[in-house]
Amino acid sequence: MYSVSVRDHFMIAHSFNGDVFGPAQRLHGATYVVDAEFFRSELDADGIVVDIGRAAEALRAALAAFNFRNLDDDPVFKGRNTTTEFLARVVFDRLTAAIRGGELGAAATGIERMRVTLHESHVASAAFDGSLSLAR
Amino acid sequence: MYSVSVRDHFMIAHSFNGDVFGPAQRLHGATYVVDAEFFRSELDADGIVVDIGRAAEALRAALAAFNFRNLDDDPVFKGRNTTTEFLARVVFDRLTAAIRGGELGAAATGIERMRVTLHESHVASAAFDGSLSLAR
Amino acid sequence: MYSVSVRDHFMIAHSFNGDVFGPAQRLHGATYVVDAEFFRSELDADGIVVDIGRAAEALRAALAAFNFRNLDDDPVFKGRNTTTEFLARVVFDRLTAAIRGGELGAAATGIERMRVTLHESHVASAAFDGSLSLAR
Amino acid sequence: MYSVSVRDHFMIAHSFNGDVFGPAQRLHGATYVVDAEFFRSELDADGIVVDIGRAAEALRAALAAFNFRNLDDDPVFKGRNTTTEFLARVVFDRLTAAIRGGELGAAATGIERMRVTLHESHVASAAFDGSLSLAR
Amino acid sequence: MYSVSVRDHFMIAHSFNGDVFGPAQRLHGATYVVDAEFFRSELDADGIVVDIGRAAEALRAALAAFNFRNLDDDPVFKGRNTTTEFLARVVFDRLTAAIRGGELGAAATGIERMRVTLHESHVASAAFDGSLSLAR
Amino acid sequence: MYSVSVRDHFMIAHSFNGDVFGPAQRLHGATYVVDAEFFRSELDADGIVVDIGRAAEALRAALAAFNFRNLDDDPVFKGRNTTTEFLARVVFDRLTAAIRGGELGAAATGIERMRVTLHESHVASAAFDGSLSLAR
């Protein structure tokens, strides 16, 4: 299996609901350094997994909607805790939509799996990985 | 699949038996920077894989038994080479016991798999990953 | 010149005032990974720059006041932009006070200079360094 | 599953063919920092996945053939784009040959899978992983 | 002293002249991950060392002239070895010109010193730092 | 000022004397990842600070004397605590001797200053820097 990974980041404010979160129930924030890794069994005719430039642009676009925002104000996240693992899934879903929408180019249709990792500090990260059922 | 990863470290002395180890047969030591990654298919009701604070504490507790020790003196390791890959498994087993013992909280019962990575330098690391058969 | 450096982090929300900040004028947040480096010309009788355990505790204490907070709500920062470089100075001043208050132990009186670096992402950081005029 | 990973690097010049590569169609170059990770289900009698010293030497040897070269001049790569993902596979194949040739020692026959990752910058990497069908 | 640092990268081909360079006399290449650090004694009225967005853009612009190029073909470098330390100075000079040209904004006139570091691999880097005599 | 930095590592056992060290008074160990940075005002005729290959070899040789050793057994360190900051100075002194002994080549006589940093974990490091008074 081949893969290509690109990195970007975004910076947000949010708060959590639930005793398990302790002081993180207060409004605070985070920098998330994001790795998006794209997997496929065979390279395309150009010898690539995906156009790395378009992958980087798609990741930037996926993060731009959150960047410099207070996630508590976003109706999309109403009633949800925007934990690092939850946000990894959100970015995964946005990149899946970008691939299906053709934003990563024709070659990207060969992508079979993705892994999105959000590093929230030098000691903690979270990830979501899954297959890309393009028929979904 | 979702995952959350936490990082900590420990510092030990040890020596190895066997020609394959060359100069590492002498008493020497290492800093191990440890990443413990917890995997599960679905988030719990709070939107988390595991309480990251309790995961960090459990990792710290798992490493505390070795920290600032000469592993050659520990009867548990009698007759074994405490290689990086071997120690990755030891930490894995201790974290498994911690999960089963409830130290990571009720949510942690949903953890299906773990991966423990020990970085011994900027150029070498070892890992053990496996499923968490909680019935074992 | 000898130095010792310890690392910790904190996670905050804040916003900035001024056109220069563009979208960062909105309420957002950041993880700051902090390196505090302590300098002195000669080691003490124990062969250290500073008790590294107490240095780590002092850094943790200095950051605890901000951790999981919205800095916009802190009257101390009223009318100030809590930029990364500004916060580097704030942490510097808190560590200076800790040293003078004896929190880092008697050996720490030999510290002549400090450098505090805040990493806000994988591509940006800010720092403040200065001498420790203990008579100030 | 156990694994051991070693890191080295190589520095090459090359160019790509195809509109998808944009400015990378020009002759340019890259430093590739390479992680080679070796997987096996059980440790050998010495408690290791592979002799880490021999693994590091095998990786160094695998990279030496390319190091300080213009890949466009290598007849082996004639008509191929030496993308990061393509080169990950090339290194994978060379390490597979090294294992089969006995260069990593008898213990290495237990290696079941490898993952080779090439980091081309602080924001991009590519990898190839696969099983080691030693009968191939 | 305050500072702000931004990171970017560029990828080039080149070769060196001189026995001291050994195999690096052959045409090869490198990824340079570049940190540009800007120093000043006092923050400006907005509480910043420099507009970090403009600093990042200026760094990108400074590197764009080299990116995806064979430096051996650039008449500017005729008769010079484009070593990592030499290139650190070249980037330093370009950023100095950008500051003087107003590309980093009015606030940047307060910048007193810069340090430019080029990381060529995980084990080697070079840097140039100097004061910014704006009258020069 | 120009500089070039090279990285290597060594792995040792040791123990400390003094209440300030707490559990580190027990026999334990560490991996030290070492950065040796060489400074000079002007590049030599080849356009370099120092032959990076010879610098890497000199660093490797300086560390080889300690690697895979118990420092408590080394008579050189009798009655001294081999703290990270102390060891940074030891490596500094060995590299100084190597430069004076001609091991880094004729160009190295231009080196004016060095900084040696030992990273003992992902959260702690120590360094020693000083001028190279070659007449000493």
Side-chain angles (χ1 to χ4, degrees), chain A residues 88-121:
Chain A
R89 174 63 180 271
V90 170
V91 175
F92 179 95
D93 287 344
R94 285 176 176 253
L95 287 175
T96 299
I99 290 170
R100 290 179 187 167
E103 292 174 41
L104 279 82
T109 55
I111 296 170
E112 299 161 28
R113 199 159 66 84
M114 271 198 303
R115 177 171 169 91
V116 174
T117 307
L118 271 64
H119 305 269
E120 70 174 57
S121 75

PDB file of all heavy atoms in Angstrom, chain A residues 88-121:
ATOM      1  N   ALA A  88     -10.939  15.172  14.179  1.00  0.00           N
ATOM      2  CA  ALA A  88     -10.216  14.360  13.190  1.00  0.00           C
ATOM      3  C   ALA A  88     -11.216  13.759  12.203  1.00  0.00           C
ATOM      4  O   ALA A  88     -10.974  13.727  10.991  1.00  0.00           O
ATOM      5  CB  ALA A  88      -9.410  13.260  13.887  1.00  0.00           C
ATOM      6  N   ARG A  89     -12.349  13.313  12.736  1.00  0.00           N
ATOM      7  CA  ARG A  89     -13.386  12.743  11.875  1.00  0.00           C
ATOM      8  C   ARG A  89     -14.013  13.820  10.973  1.00  0.00           C
ATOM      9  O   ARG A  89     -14.285  13.564   9.797  1.00  0.00           O
ATOM     10  CB  ARG A  89     -14.461  12.093  12.752  1.00  0.00           C
ATOM     11  CG  ARG A  89     -15.674  11.594  11.978  1.00  0.00           C
ATOM     12  CD  ARG A  89     -15.292  10.489  10.986  1.00  0.00           C
ATOM     13  NE  ARG A  89     -16.415   9.990  10.217  1.00  0.00           N
ATOM     14  CZ  ARG A  89     -17.197   8.986  10.617  1.00  0.00           C
ATOM     15  NH1 ARG A  89     -16.963   8.369  11.755  1.00  0.00           N
ATOM     16  NH2 ARG A  89     -18.202   8.573   9.862  1.00  0.00           N
ATOM     17  N   VAL A  90     -14.223  15.006  11.528  1.00  0.00           N
ATOM     18  CA  VAL A  90     -14.800  16.094  10.734  1.00  0.00           C
ATOM     19  C   VAL A  90     -13.891  16.426   9.550  1.00  0.00           C
ATOM     20  O   VAL A  90     -14.350  16.579   8.414  1.00  0.00           O
ATOM     21  CB  VAL A  90     -15.030  17.345  11.615  1.00  0.00           C
ATOM     22  CG1 VAL A  90     -15.395  18.556  10.764  1.00  0.00           C
ATOM     23  CG2 VAL A  90     -16.116  17.065  12.658  1.00  0.00           C
ATOM     24  N   VAL A  91     -12.592  16.529   9.807  1.00  0.00           N
ATOM     25  CA  VAL A  91     -11.652  16.824   8.719  1.00  0.00           C
ATOM     26  C   VAL A  91     -11.643  15.673   7.719  1.00  0.00           C
ATOM     27  O   VAL A  91     -11.626  15.889   6.499  1.00  0.00           O
ATOM     28  CB  VAL A  91     -10.232  17.086   9.281  1.00  0.00           C
ATOM     29  CG1 VAL A  91      -9.220  17.272   8.146  1.00  0.00           C
ATOM     30  CG2 VAL A  91     -10.235  18.319  10.191  1.00  0.00           C
ATOM     31  N   PHE A  92     -11.681  14.444   8.225  1.00  0.00           N
ATOM     32  CA  PHE A  92     -11.750  13.262   7.353  1.00  0.00           C
ATOM     33  C   PHE A  92     -12.962  13.357   6.418  1.00  0.00           C
ATOM     34  O   PHE A  92     -12.847  13.141   5.203  1.00  0.00           O
ATOM     35  CB  PHE A  92     -11.847  11.996   8.220  1.00  0.00           C
ATOM     36  CG  PHE A  92     -11.959  10.712   7.458  1.00  0.00           C
ATOM     37  CD1 PHE A  92     -10.824   9.954   7.175  1.00  0.00           C
ATOM     38  CD2 PHE A  92     -13.187  10.232   7.026  1.00  0.00           C
ATOM     39  CE1 PHE A  92     -10.924   8.750   6.468  1.00  0.00           C
ATOM     40  CE2 PHE A  92     -13.298   9.043   6.312  1.00  0.00           C
ATOM     41  CZ  PHE A  92     -12.161   8.299   6.036  1.00  0.00           C
ATOM     42  N   ASP A  93     -14.105  13.693   6.977  1.00  0.00           N
ATOM     43  CA  ASP A  93     -15.328  13.759   6.156  1.00  0.00           C
ATOM     44  C   ASP A  93     -15.245  14.881   5.121  1.00  0.00           C
ATOM     45  O   ASP A  93     -15.719  14.731   3.994  1.00  0.00           O
ATOM     46  CB  ASP A  93     -16.553  13.957   7.060  1.00  0.00           C
ATOM     47  CG  ASP A  93     -16.904  12.690   7.831  1.00  0.00           C
ATOM     48  OD1 ASP A  93     -16.418  11.603   7.451  1.00  0.00           O
ATOM     49  OD2 ASP A  93     -17.648  12.787   8.829  1.00  0.00           O
ATOM     50  N   ARG A  94     -14.636  16.010   5.505  1.00  0.00           N
ATOM     51  CA  ARG A  94     -14.506  17.113   4.560  1.00  0.00           C
ATOM     52  C   ARG A  94     -13.561  16.751   3.417  1.00  0.00           C
ATOM     53  O   ARG A  94     -13.791  17.118   2.263  1.00  0.00           O
ATOM     54  CB  ARG A  94     -14.009  18.371   5.279  1.00  0.00           C
ATOM     55  CG  ARG A  94     -15.116  19.006   6.104  1.00  0.00           C
ATOM     56  CD  ARG A  94     -14.635  20.181   6.899  1.00  0.00           C
ATOM     57  NE  ARG A  94     -15.765  20.776   7.576  1.00  0.00           N
ATOM     58  CZ  ARG A  94     -16.317  21.935   7.224  1.00  0.00           C
ATOM     59  NH1 ARG A  94     -15.817  22.631   6.228  1.00  0.00           N
ATOM     60  NH2 ARG A  94     -17.356  22.407   7.887  1.00  0.00           N
ATOM     61  N   LEU A  95     -12.484  16.057   3.751  1.00  0.00           N
ATOM     62  CA  LEU A  95     -11.551  15.646   2.697  1.00  0.00           C
ATOM     63  C   LEU A  95     -12.202  14.587   1.796  1.00  0.00           C
ATOM     64  O   LEU A  95     -11.972  14.589   0.583  1.00  0.00           O
ATOM     65  CB  LEU A  95     -10.257  15.112   3.307  1.00  0.00           C
ATOM     66  CG  LEU A  95      -9.350  16.191   3.913  1.00  0.00           C
ATOM     67  CD1 LEU A  95      -8.150  15.549   4.614  1.00  0.00           C
ATOM     68  CD2 LEU A  95      -8.849  17.161   2.819  1.00  0.00           C
ATOM     69  N   THR A  96     -12.994  13.725   2.379  1.00  0.00           N
ATOM     70  CA  THR A  96     -13.721  12.734   1.566  1.00  0.00           C
ATOM     71  C   THR A  96     -14.627  13.451   0.566  1.00  0.00           C
ATOM     72  O   THR A  96     -14.660  13.109  -0.625  1.00  0.00           O
ATOM     73  CB  THR A  96     -14.574  11.829   2.481  1.00  0.00           C
ATOM     74  OG1 THR A  96     -13.712  11.148   3.385  1.00  0.00           O
ATOM     75  CG2 THR A  96     -15.341  10.801   1.658  1.00  0.00           C
ATOM     76  N   ALA A  97     -15.340  14.477   1.051  1.00  0.00           N
ATOM     77  CA  ALA A  97     -16.216  15.245   0.161  1.00  0.00           C
ATOM     78  C   ALA A  97     -15.406  15.953  -0.918  1.00  0.00           C
ATOM     79  O   ALA A  97     -15.825  16.029  -2.081  1.00  0.00           O
ATOM     80  CB  ALA A  97     -17.018  16.257   0.981  1.00  0.00           C
ATOM     81  N   ALA A  98     -14.229  16.445  -0.561  1.00  0.00           N
ATOM     82  CA  ALA A  98     -13.377  17.147  -1.532  1.00  0.00           C
ATOM     83  C   ALA A  98     -12.920  16.169  -2.621  1.00  0.00           C
ATOM     84  O   ALA A  98     -12.890  16.521  -3.803  1.00  0.00           O
ATOM     85  CB  ALA A  98     -12.168  17.765  -0.837  1.00  0.00           C
ATOM     86  N   ILE A  99     -12.567  14.968  -2.215  1.00  0.00           N
ATOM     87  CA  ILE A  99     -12.133  13.963  -3.197  1.00  0.00           C
ATOM     88  C   ILE A  99     -13.284  13.641  -4.139  1.00  0.00           C
ATOM     89  O   ILE A  99     -13.129  13.635  -5.360  1.00  0.00           O
ATOM     90  CB  ILE A  99     -11.638  12.690  -2.471  1.00  0.00           C
ATOM     91  CG1 ILE A  99     -10.309  12.986  -1.763  1.00  0.00           C
ATOM     92  CG2 ILE A  99     -11.487  11.530  -3.459  1.00  0.00           C
ATOM     93  CD1 ILE A  99      -9.853  11.878  -0.826  1.00  0.00           C
ATOM     94  N   ARG A 100     -14.461  13.402  -3.556  1.00  0.00           N
ATOM     95  CA  ARG A 100     -15.641  13.081  -4.379  1.00  0.00           C
ATOM     96  C   ARG A 100     -16.038  14.246  -5.268  1.00  0.00           C
ATOM     97  O   ARG A 100     -16.566  14.050  -6.362  1.00  0.00           O
ATOM     98  CB  ARG A 100     -16.791  12.680  -3.477  1.00  0.00           C
ATOM     99  CG  ARG A 100     -16.531  11.333  -2.843  1.00  0.00           C
ATOM    100  CD  ARG A 100     -17.657  10.939  -1.917  1.00  0.00           C
ATOM    101  NE  ARG A 100     -17.304   9.724  -1.195  1.00  0.00           N
ATOM    102  CZ  ARG A 100     -17.949   9.257  -0.150  1.00  0.00           C
ATOM    103  NH1 ARG A 100     -19.013   9.902   0.298  1.00  0.00           N
ATOM    104  NH2 ARG A 100     -17.558   8.151   0.442  1.00  0.00           N
ATOM    105  N   GLY A 101     -15.793  15.464  -4.797  1.00  0.00           N
ATOM    106  CA  GLY A 101     -16.143  16.638  -5.573  1.00  0.00           C
ATOM    107  C   GLY A 101     -15.104  16.969  -6.639  1.00  0.00           C
ATOM    108  O   GLY A 101     -15.239  17.960  -7.350  1.00  0.00           O
ATOM    109  N   GLY A 102     -14.046  16.135  -6.711  1.00  0.00           N
ATOM    110  CA  GLY A 102     -13.055  16.321  -7.764  1.00  0.00           C
ATOM    111  C   GLY A 102     -11.977  17.340  -7.455  1.00  0.00           C
ATOM    112  O   GLY A 102     -11.135  17.641  -8.306  1.00  0.00           O
ATOM    113  N   GLU A 103     -11.968  17.854  -6.213  1.00  0.00           N
ATOM    114  CA  GLU A 103     -11.007  18.915  -5.874  1.00  0.00           C
ATOM    115  C   GLU A 103      -9.555  18.434  -5.864  1.00  0.00           C
ATOM    116  O   GLU A 103      -8.639  19.230  -5.997  1.00  0.00           O
ATOM    117  CB  GLU A 103     -11.341  19.520  -4.514  1.00  0.00           C
ATOM    118  CG  GLU A 103     -12.634  20.310  -4.507  1.00  0.00           C
ATOM    119  CD  GLU A 103     -13.005  20.768  -3.111  1.00  0.00           C
ATOM    120  OE1 GLU A 103     -12.112  21.184  -2.361  1.00  0.00           O
ATOM    121  OE2 GLU A 103     -14.204  20.684  -2.761  1.00  0.00           O
ATOM    122  N   LEU A 104      -9.357  17.120  -5.701  1.00  0.00           N
ATOM    123  CA  LEU A 104      -7.989  16.601  -5.691  1.00  0.00           C
ATOM    124  C   LEU A 104      -7.610  16.028  -7.063  1.00  0.00           C
ATOM    125  O   LEU A 104      -6.551  15.406  -7.199  1.00  0.00           O
ATOM    126  CB  LEU A 104      -7.793  15.543  -4.596  1.00  0.00           C
ATOM    127  CG  LEU A 104      -7.552  16.130  -3.194  1.00  0.00           C
ATOM    128  CD1 LEU A 104      -8.856  16.518  -2.548  1.00  0.00           C
ATOM    129  CD2 LEU A 104      -6.767  15.184  -2.335  1.00  0.00           C
ATOM    130  N   GLY A 105      -8.451  16.199  -8.047  1.00  0.00           N
ATOM    131  CA  GLY A 105      -8.151  15.748  -9.392  1.00  0.00           C
ATOM    132  C   GLY A 105      -8.634  14.334  -9.660  1.00  0.00           C
ATOM    133  O   GLY A 105      -9.070  13.615  -8.761  1.00  0.00           O
ATOM    134  N   ALA A 106      -8.531  13.966 -10.921  1.00  0.00           N
ATOM    135  CA  ALA A 106      -9.022  12.659 -11.368  1.00  0.00           C
ATOM    136  C   ALA A 106      -8.251  11.524 -10.696  1.00  0.00           C
ATOM    137  O   ALA A 106      -8.820  10.488 -10.338  1.00  0.00           O
ATOM    138  CB  ALA A 106      -8.892  12.539 -12.886  1.00  0.00           C
ATOM    139  N   ALA A 107      -6.944  11.716 -10.511  1.00  0.00           N
ATOM    140  CA  ALA A 107      -6.115  10.663  -9.934  1.00  0.00           C
ATOM    141  C   ALA A 107      -6.608  10.269  -8.544  1.00  0.00           C
ATOM    142  O   ALA A 107      -6.481   9.108  -8.131  1.00  0.00           O
ATOM    143  CB  ALA A 107      -4.657  11.113  -9.863  1.00  0.00           C
ATOM    144  N   ALA A 108      -7.191  11.225  -7.848  1.00  0.00           N
ATOM    145  CA  ALA A 108      -7.578  10.987  -6.460  1.00  0.00           C
ATOM    146  C   ALA A 108      -8.703   9.968  -6.337  1.00  0.00           C
ATOM    147  O   ALA A 108      -8.984   9.482  -5.244  1.00  0.00           O
ATOM    148  CB  ALA A 108      -7.972  12.298  -5.792  1.00  0.00           C
ATOM    149  N   THR A 109      -9.352   9.652  -7.439  1.00  0.00           N
ATOM    150  CA  THR A 109     -10.420   8.651  -7.360  1.00  0.00           C
ATOM    151  C   THR A 109      -9.854   7.289  -6.966  1.00  0.00           C
ATOM    152  O   THR A 109     -10.591   6.416  -6.525  1.00  0.00           O
ATOM    153  CB  THR A 109     -11.173   8.517  -8.703  1.00  0.00           C
ATOM    154  OG1 THR A 109     -10.200   8.223  -9.721  1.00  0.00           O
ATOM    155  CG2 THR A 109     -11.881   9.805  -9.056  1.00  0.00           C
ATOM    156  N   GLY A 110      -8.548   7.131  -7.113  1.00  0.00           N
ATOM    157  CA  GLY A 110      -7.926   5.864  -6.726  1.00  0.00           C
ATOM    158  C   GLY A 110      -7.636   5.746  -5.241  1.00  0.00           C
ATOM    159  O   GLY A 110      -7.211   4.679  -4.775  1.00  0.00           O
ATOM    160  N   ILE A 111      -7.867   6.806  -4.496  1.00  0.00           N
ATOM    161  CA  ILE A 111      -7.585   6.766  -3.057  1.00  0.00           C
ATOM    162  C   ILE A 111      -8.564   5.832  -2.362  1.00  0.00           C
ATOM    163  O   ILE A 111      -9.773   5.946  -2.535  1.00  0.00           O
ATOM    164  CB  ILE A 111      -7.655   8.183  -2.443  1.00  0.00           C
ATOM    165  CG1 ILE A 111      -6.564   9.065  -3.060  1.00  0.00           C
ATOM    166  CG2 ILE A 111      -7.489   8.122  -0.930  1.00  0.00           C
ATOM    167  CD1 ILE A 111      -6.676  10.534  -2.710  1.00  0.00           C
ATOM    168  N   GLU A 112      -8.012   4.900  -1.565  1.00  0.00           N
ATOM    169  CA  GLU A 112      -8.842   3.869  -0.938  1.00  0.00           C
ATOM    170  C   GLU A 112      -9.089   4.122   0.547  1.00  0.00           C
ATOM    171  O   GLU A 112     -10.084   3.663   1.110  1.00  0.00           O
ATOM    172  CB  GLU A 112      -8.167   2.507  -1.107  1.00  0.00           C
ATOM    173  CG  GLU A 112      -7.986   2.123  -2.575  1.00  0.00           C
ATOM    174  CD  GLU A 112      -6.937   1.030  -2.766  1.00  0.00           C
ATOM    175  OE1 GLU A 112      -6.735   0.225  -1.843  1.00  0.00           O
ATOM    176  OE2 GLU A 112      -6.320   1.009  -3.853  1.00  0.00           O
ATOM    177  N   ARG A 113      -8.128   4.830   1.175  1.00  0.00           N
ATOM    178  CA  ARG A 113      -8.210   4.992   2.608  1.00  0.00           C
ATOM    179  C   ARG A 113      -7.556   6.321   2.977  1.00  0.00           C
ATOM    180  O   ARG A 113      -6.696   6.810   2.247  1.00  0.00           O
ATOM    181  CB  ARG A 113      -7.450   3.845   3.299  1.00  0.00           C
ATOM    182  CG  ARG A 113      -7.795   3.615   4.741  1.00  0.00           C
ATOM    183  CD  ARG A 113      -7.426   2.192   5.192  1.00  0.00           C
ATOM    184  NE  ARG A 113      -6.004   1.962   5.185  1.00  0.00           N
ATOM    185  CZ  ARG A 113      -5.165   2.286   6.181  1.00  0.00           C
ATOM    186  NH1 ARG A 113      -5.638   2.869   7.261  1.00  0.00           N
ATOM    187  NH2 ARG A 113      -3.891   2.032   6.089  1.00  0.00           N
ATOM    188  N   MET A 114      -7.979   6.901   4.096  1.00  0.00           N
ATOM    189  CA  MET A 114      -7.338   8.118   4.611  1.00  0.00           C
ATOM    190  C   MET A 114      -7.117   7.965   6.097  1.00  0.00           C
ATOM    191  O   MET A 114      -7.851   7.247   6.771  1.00  0.00           O
ATOM    192  CB  MET A 114      -8.226   9.343   4.384  1.00  0.00           C
ATOM    193  CG  MET A 114      -8.012  10.038   3.044  1.00  0.00           C
ATOM    194  SD  MET A 114      -8.694  11.710   3.084  1.00  0.00           S
ATOM    195  CE  MET A 114     -10.414  11.379   3.517  1.00  0.00           C
ATOM    196  N   ARG A 115      -6.116   8.683   6.576  1.00  0.00           N
ATOM    197  CA  ARG A 115      -5.894   8.801   8.021  1.00  0.00           C
ATOM    198  C   ARG A 115      -5.626  10.271   8.312  1.00  0.00           C
ATOM    199  O   ARG A 115      -4.728  10.876   7.709  1.00  0.00           O
ATOM    200  CB  ARG A 115      -4.703   7.947   8.463  1.00  0.00           C
ATOM    201  CG  ARG A 115      -4.365   8.064   9.946  1.00  0.00           C
ATOM    202  CD  ARG A 115      -3.317   7.033  10.372  1.00  0.00           C
ATOM    203  NE  ARG A 115      -2.788   7.288  11.694  1.00  0.00           N
ATOM    204  CZ  ARG A 115      -3.286   6.784  12.834  1.00  0.00           C
ATOM    205  NH1 ARG A 115      -4.319   5.969  12.796  1.00  0.00           N
ATOM    206  NH2 ARG A 115      -2.747   7.072  13.991  1.00  0.00           N
ATOM    207  N   VAL A 116      -6.425  10.834   9.205  1.00  0.00           N
ATOM    208  CA  VAL A 116      -6.272  12.242   9.582  1.00  0.00           C
ATOM    209  C   VAL A 116      -5.858  12.295  11.048  1.00  0.00           C
ATOM    210  O   VAL A 116      -6.556  11.772  11.908  1.00  0.00           O
ATOM    211  CB  VAL A 116      -7.593  13.010   9.370  1.00  0.00           C
ATOM    212  CG1 VAL A 116      -7.458  14.438   9.911  1.00  0.00           C
ATOM    213  CG2 VAL A 116      -7.965  13.034   7.896  1.00  0.00           C
ATOM    214  N   THR A 117      -4.698  12.905  11.309  1.00  0.00           N
ATOM    215  CA  THR A 117      -4.180  13.004  12.675  1.00  0.00           C
ATOM    216  C   THR A 117      -4.107  14.467  13.090  1.00  0.00           C
ATOM    217  O   THR A 117      -3.595  15.294  12.337  1.00  0.00           O
ATOM    218  CB  THR A 117      -2.763  12.380  12.763  1.00  0.00           C
ATOM    219  OG1 THR A 117      -2.806  11.054  12.232  1.00  0.00           O
ATOM    220  CG2 THR A 117      -2.271  12.332  14.207  1.00  0.00           C
ATOM    221  N   LEU A 118      -4.632  14.782  14.275  1.00  0.00           N
ATOM    222  CA  LEU A 118      -4.546  16.142  14.818  1.00  0.00           C
ATOM    223  C   LEU A 118      -3.651  16.123  16.056  1.00  0.00           C
ATOM    224  O   LEU A 118      -3.990  15.497  17.060  1.00  0.00           O
ATOM    225  CB  LEU A 118      -5.942  16.661  15.219  1.00  0.00           C
ATOM    226  CG  LEU A 118      -6.758  17.379  14.140  1.00  0.00           C
ATOM    227  CD1 LEU A 118      -7.098  16.431  13.004  1.00  0.00           C
ATOM    228  CD2 LEU A 118      -8.029  17.982  14.714  1.00  0.00           C
ATOM    229  N   HIS A 119      -2.529  16.838  15.961  1.00  0.00           N
ATOM    230  CA  HIS A 119      -1.616  16.958  17.098  1.00  0.00           C
ATOM    231  C   HIS A 119      -2.028  18.193  17.887  1.00  0.00           C
ATOM    232  O   HIS A 119      -1.987  19.307  17.354  1.00  0.00           O
ATOM    233  CB  HIS A 119      -0.178  17.107  16.609  1.00  0.00           C
ATOM    234  CG  HIS A 119       0.259  16.011  15.681  1.00  0.00           C
ATOM    235  ND1 HIS A 119       0.860  14.862  16.120  1.00  0.00           N
ATOM    236  CD2 HIS A 119       0.139  15.871  14.338  1.00  0.00           C
ATOM    237  CE1 HIS A 119       1.123  14.066  15.081  1.00  0.00           C
ATOM    238  NE2 HIS A 119       0.696  14.659  13.992  1.00  0.00           N
ATOM    239  N   GLU A 120      -2.429  18.015  19.140  1.00  0.00           N
ATOM    240  CA  GLU A 120      -2.890  19.167  19.919  1.00  0.00           C
ATOM    241  C   GLU A 120      -1.789  19.740  20.808  1.00  0.00           C
ATOM    242  O   GLU A 120      -1.947  20.828  21.362  1.00  0.00           O
ATOM    243  CB  GLU A 120      -4.128  18.801  20.739  1.00  0.00           C
ATOM    244  CG  GLU A 120      -3.839  17.846  21.872  1.00  0.00           C
ATOM    245  CD  GLU A 120      -5.058  17.606  22.772  1.00  0.00           C
ATOM    246  OE1 GLU A 120      -6.087  17.173  22.237  1.00  0.00           O
ATOM    247  OE2 GLU A 120      -4.958  17.851  23.983  1.00  0.00           O
ATOM    248  N   SER A 121      -0.705  19.011  20.981  1.00  0.00           N
ATOM    249  CA  SER A 121       0.450  19.473  21.751  1.00  0.00           C
ATOM    250  C   SER A 121       1.608  18.539  21.432  1.00  0.00           C
ATOM    251  O   SER A 121       1.471  17.647  20.599  1.00  0.00           O
ATOM    252  CB  SER A 121       0.163  19.452  23.255  1.00  0.00           C
ATOM    253  OG  SER A 121       0.181  18.123  23.750  1.00  0.00           O
TER     254      SER A 121
END
